[in-house]
Amino acid sequence: MKLNIKLKEVLKERGITQKELEAISGVNQARISQLCKEGRKEVSLPILEKIAAALDITDISVLLQFVESDNE
C-alpha cells in the first residue's frame, strides 16, 4: 500500500489554482506544487492541516487515499 495525495484533483474539481491556494492557506506555492506531484514520499501534517482548513475539508480522505502499490 502507498499513500496517494489527491490535492491536484481537488484543486481541479474546485477550480482553484496553486497560487490561489497559496493566498488562502499561507502555504508556499512551491510546497503546494510538490504535493501535487505524483510519487511524493513525505508530507507535513501541519501543511496538510493548513490546506484542509483553507479548502474547508473536514474529511482527510478527500486529500489522502491508500492505493495498492505496484511492487507488492
Side-chain angles (χ1 to χ4, degrees):
M1 293 280 236
K2 72 176 190 172
L3 191 60
N4 182 38
I5 301 169
K6 303 187 296 183
L7 181 57
K8 184 176 183 178
E9 293 88 347
V10 171
L11 292 177
K12 185 175 182 178
E13 286 172 7
R14 295 181 182 211
I16 298 173
T17 67
Q18 292 180 14
K19 274 306 234 188
E20 289 170 331
L21 181 56
E22 176 185 45
I24 61 175
S25 70
V27 175
N28 184 289
Q29 190 267 329
R31 285 188 184 259
I32 293 168
S33 177
Q34 289 175 346
L35 289 173
C36 287
K37 291 181 183 174
E38 283 190 40
R40 180 82 181 147
K41 299 289 185 197
E42 294 179 10
V43 62
S44 164
L45 289 178
I47 297 293
L48 281 181
E49 289 171 349
K50 286 181 180 181
I51 289 171
L55 296 174
D56 198 29
I57 293 171
T58 57
D59 181 352
I60 197 64
S61 69
V62 172
L63 282 176
L64 302 173
Q65 174 184 35
F66 280 112
V67 293
E68 292 293 327
S69 179
D70 293 338
N71 53 2
E72 285 189 14

